[in-house]
Coordinates of all heavy atoms in Angstrom, one line a residue:
M1 N -4.4 -0.8 -39.9 CA -4.8 -0.4 -38.6 C -4.1 0.9 -38.2 O -2.9 1.0 -38.6 CB -4.5 -1.5 -37.6 CG -5.4 -2.7 -37.6 SD -4.9 -3.8 -36.3 CE -6.1 -3.5 -35.1
D2 N -4.8 1.7 -37.5 CA -4.2 2.9 -37.1 C -3.4 2.7 -35.8 O -4.0 2.1 -34.8 CB -5.3 3.9 -36.9 CG -4.8 5.3 -36.6 OD1 -3.6 5.6 -36.9 OD2 -5.5 6.2 -36.1
L3 N -2.2 3.1 -35.7 CA -1.3 2.9 -34.5 C -2.0 3.6 -33.3 O -1.9 3.0 -32.2 CB 0.1 3.4 -34.7 CG 1.1 3.2 -33.6 CD1 1.3 1.8 -33.4 CD2 2.4 3.9 -33.9
K4 N -2.6 4.7 -33.5 CA -3.2 5.4 -32.3 C -4.4 4.5 -31.7 O -4.5 4.5 -30.5 CB -3.8 6.7 -32.9 CG -4.2 7.7 -31.8 CD -4.6 9.0 -32.5 CE -5.1 10.0 -31.5 NZ -5.5 11.2 -32.2
V5 N -5.1 3.9 -32.6 CA -6.2 3.0 -32.1 C -5.7 1.8 -31.3 O -6.2 1.4 -30.3 CB -7.1 2.6 -33.3 CG1 -8.2 1.6 -32.8 CG2 -7.8 3.8 -33.9
V6 N -4.6 1.2 -31.9 CA -4.0 0.1 -31.2 C -3.5 0.4 -29.9 O -3.7 -0.3 -28.9 CB -2.9 -0.5 -32.1 CG1 -2.2 -1.6 -31.4 CG2 -3.5 -1.1 -33.4
I7 N -2.7 1.5 -29.8 CA -2.2 1.9 -28.5 C -3.2 2.3 -27.5 O -3.1 2.0 -26.3 CB -1.2 3.1 -28.7 CG1 0.1 2.5 -29.4 CG2 -0.8 3.7 -27.4 CD1 1.1 3.6 -29.7
R8 N -4.3 2.9 -28.0 CA -5.4 3.2 -27.1 C -6.1 2.0 -26.5 O -6.5 2.0 -25.4 CB -6.5 4.1 -27.8 CG -7.2 5.0 -27.0 CD -8.2 5.9 -27.7 NE -7.5 7.1 -28.2 CZ -8.0 7.8 -29.1 NH1 -9.1 7.5 -29.8 NH2 -7.3 8.9 -29.4
G9 N -6.1 0.9 -27.3 CA -6.7 -0.3 -26.8 C -5.8 -1.1 -25.9 O -6.2 -1.9 -25.1
L10 N -4.5 -1.0 -26.2 CA -3.5 -1.7 -25.4 C -2.6 -0.8 -24.6 O -1.4 -0.9 -24.5 CB -2.6 -2.5 -26.4 CG -3.3 -3.5 -27.2 CD1 -2.4 -4.1 -28.3 CD2 -4.0 -4.6 -26.4
W11 N -3.2 0.2 -23.9 CA -2.4 1.2 -23.2 C -1.6 0.6 -22.1 O -0.5 1.1 -21.8 CB -3.4 2.3 -22.6 CG -4.3 1.8 -21.5 CD1 -5.5 1.2 -21.7 CD2 -4.0 1.7 -20.2 NE1 -6.0 0.8 -20.5 CE2 -5.1 1.1 -19.5 CE3 -2.9 2.1 -19.4 CZ2 -5.1 0.9 -18.2 CZ3 -2.9 1.9 -18.0 CH2 -4.0 1.3 -17.4
D12 N -2.1 -0.4 -21.4 CA -1.3 -1.0 -20.3 C -0.1 -1.7 -20.8 O 1.0 -1.6 -20.2 CB -2.2 -1.9 -19.5 CG -3.1 -2.8 -20.3 OD1 -3.0 -2.8 -21.5 OD2 -3.9 -3.5 -19.7
R13 N -0.2 -2.4 -21.9 CA 1.0 -3.0 -22.5 C 2.0 -2.0 -23.0 O 3.2 -2.1 -22.8 CB 0.6 -4.0 -23.6 CG 0.0 -5.3 -23.0 CD -0.3 -6.3 -24.1 NE -0.7 -7.5 -23.5 CZ -2.0 -7.8 -23.2 NH1 -2.9 -6.8 -23.3 NH2 -2.3 -8.9 -22.7
A14 N 1.5 -1.0 -23.8 CA 2.4 0.0 -24.3 C 3.0 0.8 -23.2 O 4.3 1.1 -23.3 CB 1.6 1.0 -25.2
G15 N 2.3 1.1 -22.2 CA 2.9 1.9 -21.1 C 3.9 1.0 -20.3 O 4.9 1.5 -19.8
G16 N 3.6 -0.3 -20.1 CA 4.5 -1.1 -19.5 C 5.9 -1.3 -20.2 O 6.9 -1.1 -19.6
W17 N 5.8 -1.5 -21.5 CA 7.0 -1.5 -22.3 C 7.8 -0.2 -22.3 O 9.0 -0.2 -22.3 CB 6.8 -2.0 -23.7 CG 6.5 -3.5 -23.7 CD1 5.4 -4.1 -24.0 CD2 7.5 -4.6 -23.4 NE1 5.5 -5.5 -23.9 CE2 6.8 -5.8 -23.5 CE3 8.8 -4.6 -23.0 CZ2 7.4 -7.0 -23.3 CZ3 9.4 -5.8 -22.7 CH2 8.7 -7.0 -22.9
L18 N 7.0 0.9 -22.4 CA 7.6 2.2 -22.3 C 8.4 2.5 -21.0 O 9.5 3.0 -21.0 CB 6.6 3.3 -22.6 CG 7.1 4.7 -22.7 CD1 8.0 4.9 -24.0 CD2 6.0 5.7 -22.7
L19 N 7.7 2.1 -19.9 CA 8.4 2.2 -18.6 C 9.6 1.3 -18.4 O 10.6 1.7 -17.9 CB 7.4 1.9 -17.5 CG 6.4 3.0 -17.2 CD1 5.3 2.6 -16.2 CD2 7.0 4.3 -16.8
I20 N 9.5 0.1 -19.0 CA 10.7 -0.8 -18.9 C 11.9 -0.2 -19.7 O 13.0 -0.2 -19.3 CB 10.3 -2.2 -19.4 CG1 9.4 -2.8 -18.4 CG2 11.5 -3.0 -19.7 CD1 8.8 -4.2 -18.8
A21 N 11.6 0.4 -20.9 CA 12.6 1.0 -21.7 C 13.2 2.2 -21.0 O 14.4 2.4 -21.0 CB 12.1 1.4 -23.1
A22 N 12.4 3.0 -20.4 CA 12.8 4.2 -19.7 C 13.7 3.8 -18.5 O 14.7 4.4 -18.2 CB 11.7 5.0 -19.2
G23 N 13.3 2.7 -17.8 CA 14.1 2.2 -16.7 C 15.5 1.7 -17.2 O 16.5 1.9 -16.5
G24 N 15.5 1.0 -18.3 CA 16.8 0.5 -18.8 C 17.7 1.7 -19.2 O 18.9 1.6 -19.0
L25 N 17.1 2.7 -19.8 CA 17.8 3.9 -20.1 C 18.4 4.6 -18.9 O 19.5 5.0 -18.9 CB 17.0 4.9 -20.9 CG 17.6 6.2 -21.4 CD1 18.7 5.9 -22.4 CD2 16.6 7.1 -21.9
A26 N 17.6 4.6 -17.8 CA 18.1 5.2 -16.6 C 19.2 4.4 -16.0 O 20.2 5.0 -15.5 CB 16.9 5.3 -15.6
L27 N 19.1 3.1 -16.1 CA 20.2 2.3 -15.6 C 21.5 2.5 -16.4 O 22.6 2.6 -15.8 CB 19.8 0.8 -15.7 CG 18.8 0.3 -14.6 CD1 18.4 -1.1 -14.9 CD2 19.4 0.5 -13.2
V28 N 21.4 2.6 -17.7 CA 22.6 2.8 -18.6 C 23.2 4.2 -18.3 O 24.4 4.3 -18.2 CB 22.2 2.6 -20.1 CG1 23.3 3.2 -21.0 CG2 21.9 1.2 -20.4
L29 N 22.3 5.2 -18.1 CA 22.8 6.5 -17.9 C 23.5 6.6 -16.5 O 24.5 7.3 -16.3 CB 21.7 7.6 -18.0 CG 21.2 7.8 -19.4 CD1 20.0 8.8 -19.4 CD2 22.3 8.3 -20.3
G30 N 22.9 5.9 -15.5 CA 23.5 5.8 -14.2 C 24.9 5.1 -14.3 O 25.9 5.6 -13.6
W31 N 25.0 4.0 -15.1 CA 26.3 3.3 -15.2 C 27.3 4.2 -15.9 O 28.5 4.2 -15.5 CB 26.0 2.1 -16.0 CG 27.3 1.3 -16.2 CD1 28.0 0.6 -15.3 CD2 28.1 1.3 -17.4 NE1 29.2 0.1 -15.9 CE2 29.2 0.5 -17.2 CE3 27.9 1.9 -18.7 CZ2 30.2 0.3 -18.2 CZ3 28.9 1.7 -19.6 CH2 30.0 0.9 -19.4
V32 N 26.9 5.0 -16.9 CA 27.8 5.9 -17.6 C 28.3 6.9 -16.6 O 29.5 7.3 -16.6 CB 27.1 6.5 -18.8 CG1 28.0 7.7 -19.4 CG2 26.9 5.5 -19.9
G33 N 27.4 7.5 -15.8 CA 27.8 8.5 -14.8 C 28.8 7.9 -13.7 O 29.8 8.5 -13.4
V34 N 28.5 6.7 -13.3 CA 29.4 6.0 -12.3 C 30.8 5.8 -12.9 O 31.8 5.9 -12.3 CB 28.8 4.7 -11.8 CG1 29.8 3.9 -11.0 CG2 27.6 5.1 -10.8
S35 N 30.8 5.3 -14.2 CA 32.1 4.9 -14.8 C 32.9 6.1 -15.1 O 34.1 6.0 -15.2 CB 31.8 4.2 -16.1 OG 31.2 5.0 -17.1
G36 N 32.4 7.3 -15.1 CA 33.1 8.5 -15.4 C 33.7 9.2 -14.2 O 34.5 10.2 -14.3
T37 N 33.4 8.7 -13.0 CA 34.0 9.4 -11.8 C 34.8 8.3 -11.0 O 34.3 7.2 -10.7 CB 32.8 9.9 -10.9 OG1 32.0 8.8 -10.6 CG2 32.0 11.0 -11.6
P38 N 36.0 8.7 -10.6 CA 36.8 7.8 -9.8 C 36.5 7.7 -8.3 O 36.8 6.7 -7.7 CB 38.2 8.3 -10.0 CG 38.0 9.8 -10.3 CD 36.7 9.9 -10.9
L39 N 35.9 8.7 -7.8 CA 35.7 8.7 -6.3 C 34.3 8.1 -6.0 O 33.3 8.5 -6.6 CB 35.7 10.2 -5.8 CG 37.0 10.9 -6.0 CD1 36.9 12.4 -5.6 CD2 38.1 10.2 -5.2
P40 N 34.3 7.2 -5.0 CA 33.0 6.6 -4.6 C 32.0 7.7 -4.1 O 30.8 7.5 -4.3 CB 33.4 5.6 -3.5 CG 34.8 5.3 -3.7 CD 35.4 6.6 -4.4
S41 N 32.4 8.7 -3.5 CA 31.5 9.7 -3.0 C 30.8 10.4 -4.2 O 29.7 11.0 -4.0 CB 32.2 10.7 -2.1 OG 33.2 11.4 -2.9
E42 N 31.4 10.5 -5.3 CA 30.8 11.1 -6.5 C 29.9 10.1 -7.2 O 29.1 10.5 -8.1 CB 31.9 11.6 -7.5 CG 32.6 12.8 -6.9 CD 33.8 13.3 -7.8 OE1 34.0 12.6 -8.9 OE2 34.4 14.3 -7.4
Q43 N 30.1 8.8 -7.0 CA 29.4 7.8 -7.7 C 28.0 7.5 -7.1 O 27.1 7.1 -7.7 CB 30.2 6.5 -7.7 CG 31.4 6.5 -8.5 CD 32.2 5.3 -8.5 OE1 31.9 4.4 -7.7 NE2 33.3 5.2 -9.3
I44 N 27.9 7.8 -5.8 CA 26.6 7.5 -5.1 C 25.4 8.2 -5.7 O 24.4 7.6 -5.8 CB 26.8 7.8 -3.6 CG1 27.8 6.7 -3.0 CG2 25.5 7.7 -2.8 CD1 28.1 7.0 -1.5
P45 N 25.5 9.5 -6.0 CA 24.3 10.1 -6.6 C 23.8 9.4 -7.9 O 22.7 9.3 -8.2 CB 24.7 11.5 -6.9 CG 25.8 11.8 -5.9 CD 26.5 10.5 -5.8
Y46 N 24.8 8.9 -8.7 CA 24.5 8.2 -9.9 C 23.8 6.9 -9.7 O 22.9 6.5 -10.3 CB 25.7 8.0 -10.8 CG 26.3 9.3 -11.4 CD1 27.5 9.8 -10.9 CD2 25.6 9.9 -12.4 CE1 28.0 11.0 -11.4 CE2 26.1 11.1 -13.0 CZ 27.3 11.6 -12.5 OH 27.8 12.8 -13.0
V47 N 24.3 6.2 -8.6 CA 23.7 4.9 -8.3 C 22.3 5.1 -7.8 O 21.3 4.4 -8.1 CB 24.6 4.2 -7.2 CG1 23.8 3.0 -6.6 CG2 25.9 3.8 -7.8
V48 N 22.1 6.1 -6.9 CA 20.8 6.4 -6.4 C 19.8 6.9 -7.5 O 18.7 6.3 -7.6 CB 20.8 7.4 -5.2 CG1 19.4 7.9 -4.8 CG2 21.6 6.8 -4.1
S49 N 20.2 7.9 -8.2 CA 19.3 8.4 -9.2 C 19.1 7.5 -10.4 O 17.9 7.2 -10.8 CB 19.8 9.8 -9.7 OG 21.0 9.6 -10.4
G50 N 20.1 7.0 -11.0 CA 20.0 6.1 -12.1 C 19.6 4.7 -11.8 O 18.7 4.1 -12.4
G51 N 20.2 4.1 -10.8 CA 20.0 2.7 -10.4 C 18.6 2.5 -9.8 O 17.8 1.7 -10.3
L52 N 18.3 3.2 -8.7 CA 17.1 3.0 -8.0 C 15.9 3.5 -8.8 O 14.8 2.8 -8.9 CB 17.1 3.7 -6.6 CG 18.1 3.1 -5.7 CD1 18.1 3.9 -4.3 CD2 17.9 1.6 -5.4
F53 N 16.0 4.6 -9.5 CA 15.0 5.1 -10.3 C 14.7 4.1 -11.5 O 13.5 3.8 -11.8 CB 15.3 6.5 -10.8 CG 14.1 7.1 -11.6 CD1 12.9 7.4 -10.9 CD2 14.3 7.4 -12.9 CE1 11.9 8.0 -11.6 CE2 13.3 8.0 -13.6 CZ 12.1 8.3 -13.0
G54 N 15.8 3.6 -12.1 CA 15.6 2.7 -13.2 C 15.0 1.4 -12.8 O 14.1 0.8 -13.4
L55 N 15.4 0.8 -11.6 CA 14.7 -0.4 -11.1 C 13.2 -0.2 -10.8 O 12.4 -1.0 -11.0 CB 15.5 -0.9 -9.9 CG 16.8 -1.5 -10.2 CD1 17.5 -1.9 -8.9 CD2 16.7 -2.7 -11.1
A56 N 12.9 1.0 -10.2 CA 11.5 1.3 -9.9 C 10.7 1.4 -11.2 O 9.6 0.9 -11.3 CB 11.4 2.6 -9.2
L57 N 11.2 2.0 -12.2 CA 10.5 2.1 -13.5 C 10.3 0.7 -14.1 O 9.2 0.4 -14.6 CB 11.2 3.0 -14.5 CG 11.2 4.5 -14.2 CD1 12.0 5.2 -15.2 CD2 9.7 5.0 -14.2
I58 N 11.3 -0.1 -14.0 CA 11.2 -1.5 -14.6 C 10.2 -2.3 -13.8 O 9.4 -3.0 -14.3 CB 12.6 -2.2 -14.6 CG1 13.5 -1.5 -15.6 CG2 12.4 -3.7 -14.8 CD1 14.9 -2.0 -15.6
G59 N 10.2 -2.1 -12.5 CA 9.2 -2.8 -11.6 C 7.7 -2.3 -11.9 O 6.8 -3.2 -12.0
I60 N 7.5 -1.1 -12.1 CA 6.2 -0.6 -12.4 C 5.7 -1.0 -13.8 O 4.6 -1.4 -14.0 CB 6.1 1.0 -12.3 CG1 6.3 1.4 -10.9 CG2 4.8 1.5 -12.8 CD1 6.6 2.9 -10.7
G61 N 6.7 -1.0 -14.8 CA 6.4 -1.5 -16.1 C 6.0 -3.0 -16.1 O 5.1 -3.4 -16.8
T62 N 6.8 -3.8 -15.4 CA 6.5 -5.2 -15.3 C 5.1 -5.4 -14.6 O 4.4 -6.3 -15.1 CB 7.6 -5.9 -14.5 OG1 8.9 -5.6 -15.1 CG2 7.4 -7.4 -14.5
T63 N 4.8 -4.6 -13.7 CA 3.5 -4.8 -13.0 C 2.4 -4.5 -14.0 O 1.3 -5.2 -14.0 CB 3.4 -3.8 -11.8 OG1 4.5 -4.1 -10.9 CG2 2.1 -4.0 -11.1
L64 N 2.5 -3.5 -14.8 CA 1.5 -3.2 -15.8 C 1.4 -4.3 -16.8 O 0.2 -4.7 -17.2 CB 1.9 -1.9 -16.6 CG 1.5 -0.6 -16.0 CD1 2.0 0.6 -16.8 CD2 0.0 -0.5 -15.9
L65 N 2.5 -4.9 -17.2 CA 2.4 -6.1 -18.2 C 1.7 -7.3 -17.5 O 0.8 -7.9 -18.2 CB 3.8 -6.5 -18.7 CG 4.5 -5.5 -19.6 CD1 5.9 -5.9 -19.9 CD2 3.7 -5.3 -20.8
I66 N 2.0 -7.5 -16.3 CA 1.3 -8.7 -15.6 C -0.1 -8.4 -15.4 O -1.0 -9.2 -15.6 CB 2.0 -8.9 -14.2 CG1 3.4 -9.5 -14.5 CG2 1.2 -9.9 -13.4 CD1 4.3 -9.6 -13.2
S67 N -0.5 -7.1 -15.1 CA -1.9 -6.7 -14.9 C -2.6 -6.9 -16.2 O -3.8 -7.4 -16.2 CB -2.0 -5.3 -14.4 OG -3.3 -4.8 -14.4
A68 N -2.0 -6.6 -17.3 CA -2.7 -6.7 -18.6 C -2.9 -8.2 -18.9 O -4.0 -8.6 -19.4 CB -1.8 -6.1 -19.7
D69 N -1.9 -9.0 -18.6 CA -2.1 -10.5 -18.9 C -3.2 -11.1 -18.0 O -4.0 -11.9 -18.4 CB -0.8 -11.2 -18.6 CG 0.2 -11.0 -19.8 OD1 -0.3 -10.6 -20.8 OD2 1.4 -11.2 -19.6
L70 N -3.2 -10.6 -16.7 CA -4.3 -11.1 -15.8 C -5.7 -10.7 -16.3 O -6.6 -11.4 -16.1 CB -4.0 -10.7 -14.4 CG -2.9 -11.4 -13.7 CD1 -2.6 -10.7 -12.3 CD2 -3.1 -12.8 -13.5
G71 N -5.8 -9.5 -16.8 CA -7.0 -9.0 -17.3 C -7.5 -9.9 -18.5 O -8.7 -10.2 -18.6
D72 N -6.5 -10.3 -19.4 CA -6.9 -11.2 -20.5 C -7.4 -12.5 -19.9 O -8.4 -13.0 -20.5 CB -5.7 -11.4 -21.4 CG -5.3 -10.2 -22.2 OD1 -6.1 -9.3 -22.3 OD2 -4.2 -10.2 -22.7
E73 N -6.8 -13.0 -18.9 CA -7.2 -14.3 -18.3 C -8.6 -14.2 -17.7 O -9.4 -15.1 -17.9 CB -6.2 -14.8 -17.3 CG -4.8 -15.2 -17.9 CD -4.9 -16.3 -18.9 OE1 -5.7 -17.3 -18.7 OE2 -4.2 -16.2 -19.9
W74 N -8.9 -13.1 -17.1 CA -10.2 -12.9 -16.5 C -11.3 -12.8 -17.5 O -12.4 -13.4 -17.4 CB -10.2 -11.7 -15.6 CG -9.7 -12.0 -14.2 CD1 -8.5 -11.5 -13.7 CD2 -10.2 -12.8 -13.2 NE1 -8.3 -12.0 -12.5 CE2 -9.3 -12.8 -12.1 CE3 -11.4 -13.5 -13.1 CZ2 -9.6 -13.5 -10.9 CZ3 -11.6 -14.2 -11.9 CH2 -10.7 -14.2 -10.8
R75 N -11.0 -12.1 -18.6 CA -11.9 -12.1 -19.8 C -12.2 -13.4 -20.4 O -13.3 -13.8 -20.7 CB -11.4 -11.1 -20.8 CG -11.7 -9.6 -20.4 CD -11.4 -8.7 -21.6 NE -10.0 -8.5 -21.8 CZ -9.2 -7.7 -21.1 NH1 -9.7 -7.0 -20.2 NH2 -7.9 -7.6 -21.4
K76 N -11.1 -14.2 -20.5 CA -11.3 -15.6 -21.0 C -12.2 -16.5 -20.1 O -13.0 -17.2 -20.5 CB -9.9 -16.3 -21.2 CG -9.1 -15.8 -22.3 CD -7.8 -16.5 -22.4 CE -6.9 -15.9 -23.4 NZ -5.5 -16.5 -23.4
L77 N -11.9 -16.3 -18.8 CA -12.7 -17.1 -17.8 C -14.2 -16.6 -17.8 O -15.1 -17.5 -17.7 CB -12.1 -16.9 -16.4 CG -10.8 -17.7 -16.1 CD1 -10.3 -17.3 -14.8 CD2 -11.1 -19.2 -16.2
D78 N -14.4 -15.3 -18.0 CA -15.8 -14.8 -18.1 C -16.5 -15.4 -19.3 O -17.7 -15.7 -19.2 CB -15.8 -13.3 -18.1 CG -15.5 -12.7 -16.7 OD1 -15.6 -13.4 -15.7 OD2 -15.1 -11.5 -16.7
A79 N -15.8 -15.5 -20.4 CA -16.4 -16.0 -21.6 C -16.7 -17.5 -21.4 O -17.8 -18.0 -21.8 CB -15.4 -15.8 -22.8
I80 N -15.8 -18.3 -20.8 CA -16.1 -19.7 -20.5 C -17.3 -19.8 -19.6 O -18.2 -20.7 -19.8 CB -14.8 -20.3 -19.9 CG1 -13.7 -20.4 -21.0 CG2 -15.1 -21.7 -19.4 CD1 -12.4 -20.9 -20.5
E81 N -17.3 -19.0 -18.6 CA -18.4 -19.1 -17.6 C -19.8 -18.7 -18.3 O -20.8 -19.4 -18.1 CB -18.2 -18.1 -16.5 CG -19.3 -18.2 -15.4 CD -19.1 -17.2 -14.3 OE1 -18.3 -16.2 -14.5 OE2 -19.8 -17.3 -13.3
S82 N -19.8 -17.8 -19.2 CA -21.0 -17.4 -19.9 C -21.5 -18.5 -20.8 O -22.7 -18.8 -20.9 CB -20.9 -16.1 -20.6 OG -20.0 -16.2 -21.7
V83 N -20.5 -19.2 -21.4 CA -20.9 -20.3 -22.3 C -21.5 -21.5 -21.4 O -22.5 -22.1 -21.8 CB -19.7 -20.8 -23.1 CG1 -19.9 -22.2 -23.7 CG2 -19.3 -19.8 -24.2
L84 N -20.8 -21.7 -20.3 CA -21.3 -22.8 -19.4 C -22.7 -22.5 -18.9 O -23.6 -23.3 -18.8 CB -20.4 -23.1 -18.3 CG -19.0 -23.7 -18.7 CD1 -18.1 -23.8 -17.5 CD2 -19.3 -25.1 -19.3
R85 N -22.9 -21.2 -18.5 CA -24.3 -20.8 -18.0 C -25.3 -20.9 -19.1 O -26.4 -21.3 -18.8 CB -24.2 -19.4 -17.5 CG -23.5 -19.2 -16.1 CD -23.6 -17.8 -15.6 NE -22.8 -17.7 -14.4 CZ -23.2 -17.9 -13.2 NH1 -24.5 -18.4 -13.0 NH2 -22.4 -17.7 -12.2
S86 N -25.0 -20.5 -20.3 CA -26.0 -20.6 -21.4 C -26.3 -22.1 -21.7 O -27.4 -22.5 -22.0 CB -25.5 -19.9 -22.6 OG -24.4 -20.5 -23.2
Q87 N -25.2 -22.9 -21.6 CA -25.4 -24.4 -21.8 C -26.3 -25.0 -20.7 O -27.2 -25.8 -21.0 CB -24.1 -25.1 -21.8 CG -24.2 -26.6 -22.2 CD -24.7 -26.8 -23.6 OE1 -24.4 -26.1 -24.5 NE2 -25.4 -27.9 -23.8
R88 N -26.1 -24.6 -19.5 CA -27.0 -25.0 -18.4 C -28.4 -24.6 -18.6 O -29.3 -25.4 -18.3 CB -26.4 -24.5 -17.1 CG -27.3 -25.1 -15.9 CD -26.9 -24.5 -14.6 NE -25.6 -25.1 -14.2 CZ -24.9 -24.6 -13.1 NH1 -25.4 -23.6 -12.4 NH2 -23.8 -25.2 -12.8
S89 N -28.6 -23.4 -19.0 CA -30.0 -22.9 -19.2 C -30.7 -23.6 -20.3 O -31.9 -23.8 -20.3 CB -30.0 -21.4 -19.4 OG -29.4 -21.1 -20.6
L90 N -29.9 -24.1 -21.3 CA -30.5 -24.8 -22.4 C -30.9 -26.3 -22.0 O -31.8 -26.9 -22.5 CB -29.6 -24.9 -23.6 CG -29.3 -23.6 -24.3 CD1 -28.3 -23.8 -25.4 CD2 -30.6 -23.0 -24.9
D91 N -30.1 -26.8 -21.1 CA -30.3 -28.2 -20.6 C -31.5 -28.3 -19.7 O -32.1 -29.4 -19.5 CB -29.1 -28.8 -19.9 CG -28.0 -29.1 -20.9 OD1 -28.3 -29.1 -22.1 OD2 -26.8 -29.2 -20.4
G92 N -31.9 -27.3 -19.0 CA -33.0 -27.3 -18.1 C -32.5 -26.9 -16.7 O -31.3 -26.5 -16.5
P93 N -33.3 -27.0 -15.7 CA -32.9 -26.6 -14.3 C -31.8 -27.5 -13.8 O -31.7 -28.7 -14.2 CB -34.2 -26.8 -13.5 CG -35.1 -27.7 -14.3 CD -34.7 -27.5 -15.7
A94 N -31.0 -27.0 -12.9 CA -29.9 -27.7 -12.4 C -30.3 -28.9 -11.5 O -29.5 -29.9 -11.4 CB -29.0 -26.8 -11.5
D95 N -31.5 -28.9 -11.0 CA -32.0 -30.0 -10.2 C -32.2 -31.3 -11.0 O -32.2 -32.4 -10.5 CB -33.3 -29.7 -9.4 CG -33.0 -28.6 -8.4 OD1 -31.8 -28.4 -8.0 OD2 -34.0 -27.9 -8.1
A96 N -32.5 -31.1 -12.3 CA -32.8 -32.2 -13.2 C -31.6 -33.0 -13.6 O -31.7 -34.2 -14.0 CB -33.5 -31.7 -14.4
V97 N -30.4 -32.4 -13.3 CA -29.2 -33.1 -13.7 C -28.7 -34.1 -12.6 O -28.6 -33.7 -11.5 CB -28.0 -32.1 -14.0 CG1 -26.7 -32.8 -14.3 CG2 -28.4 -31.1 -15.1
T98 N -28.5 -35.3 -13.0 CA -28.1 -36.3 -12.0 C -26.6 -36.7 -12.3 O -26.3 -37.1 -13.4 CB -29.0 -37.5 -12.0 OG1 -28.9 -38.1 -13.3 CG2 -30.4 -37.2 -11.6
A99 N -25.8 -36.6 -11.3 CA -24.4 -36.8 -11.5 C -24.0 -38.2 -11.0 O -22.9 -38.6 -11.0 CB -23.6 -35.8 -10.8
G100 N -25.0 -38.9 -10.5 CA -24.7 -40.3 -9.9 C -24.5 -40.2 -8.4 O -24.7 -39.1 -7.8
P101 N -24.3 -41.3 -7.8 CA -24.2 -41.3 -6.4 C -22.9 -40.6 -5.9 O -21.9 -40.6 -6.6 CB -24.1 -42.8 -6.0 CG -23.6 -43.5 -7.3 CD -24.1 -42.6 -8.4
A102 N -23.1 -40.0 -4.7 CA -21.9 -39.3 -4.1 C -20.9 -40.3 -3.6 O -21.3 -41.4 -3.1 CB -22.4 -38.4 -3.0
P103 N -19.6 -40.0 -3.8 CA -18.6 -41.0 -3.3 C -18.6 -41.0 -1.8 O -18.8 -40.0 -1.1 CB -17.3 -40.4 -3.9 CG -17.6 -39.0 -4.1 CD -19.1 -38.9 -4.5
E104 N -18.3 -42.2 -1.2 CA -18.3 -42.3 0.2 C -16.9 -42.1 0.7 O -15.9 -42.5 0.0 CB -18.7 -43.7 0.6 CG -20.2 -44.0 0.2 CD -20.6 -45.4 0.7 OE1 -19.9 -46.0 1.6 OE2 -21.6 -45.9 0.1
L105 N -16.8 -41.5 1.9 CA -15.5 -41.2 2.5 C -15.1 -42.4 3.3 O -15.9 -42.9 4.1 CB -15.5 -40.0 3.4 CG -15.8 -38.7 2.6 CD1 -15.9 -37.5 3.6 CD2 -14.8 -38.4 1.6
V106 N -13.9 -42.9 3.2 CA -13.4 -44.0 3.9 C -12.3 -43.6 4.9 O -11.4 -42.9 4.5 CB -12.9 -45.1 3.0 CG1 -12.3 -46.3 3.7 CG2 -13.9 -45.5 2.0
D107 N -12.5 -43.9 6.2 CA -11.4 -43.6 7.1 C -10.3 -44.5 7.0 O -10.4 -45.7 6.9 CB -12.0 -43.7 8.6 CG -13.0 -42.6 8.8 OD1 -12.9 -41.5 8.3 OD2 -13.9 -42.9 9.7
A108 N -9.1 -43.9 6.9 CA -7.9 -44.8 6.7 C -7.2 -45.1 8.0 O -7.3 -44.5 9.0 CB -6.9 -44.1 5.8

């Protein structure tokens, strides 16, 4: 298999993992910057740029991965629905199917 074809088909997963890796790198670089300066006033830019930017990238990457998984679930549900619809059309009209008497509701 060609890697280019695989990535083209799974762009959301590849992009999600790439963003998560970039976010982790930003967090590590922010931590290295903070650890190298003794004054808190010099540490704040590293926290803001490395920490917040890294967390944002990780959040966006995670969202892409969740979106890809939800897309897979929707495709599976569509396949199940199409099988059920084709089975129903083979059995005949929906009015011909009898499911038995309806259950009665009892007041408690």
Side-chain angles (χ1 to χ4, degrees):
M1 283 180 104
D2 189 17
L3 182 63
K4 190 175 181 182
V5 173
V6 171
I7 290 178
R8 209 177 270 163
L10 301 173
W11 67 270
D12 43 5
R13 285 185 174 83
W17 284 114
L18 184 67
L19 286 174
I20 289 172
L25 180 65
L27 287 175
V28 168
L29 290 176
W31 177 77
V32 168
V34 166
S35 68
T37 59
L39 298 174
S41 61
E42 293 176 357
Q43 293 175 354
I44 291 174
Y46 291 108
V47 170
V48 171
S49 64
L52 294 180
F53 185 65
L55 289 176
L57 287 177
I58 289 172
I60 294 168
T62 305
T63 303
L64 275 175
L65 290 176
I66 290 172
S67 174
D69 286 342
L70 287 175
D72 290 344
E73 293 299 321
W74 280 108
R75 280 189 286 280
K76 287 177 188 176
L77 286 174
D78 285 341
I80 291 170
E81 182 183 14
S82 66
V83 167
L84 289 175
R85 285 186 189 272
S86 67
Q87 184 66 31
R88 180 186 287 174
S89 66
L90 292 176
D91 288 343
D95 295 337
V97 178
T98 58
E104 295 182 21
L105 296 176
V106 178
D107 292 329

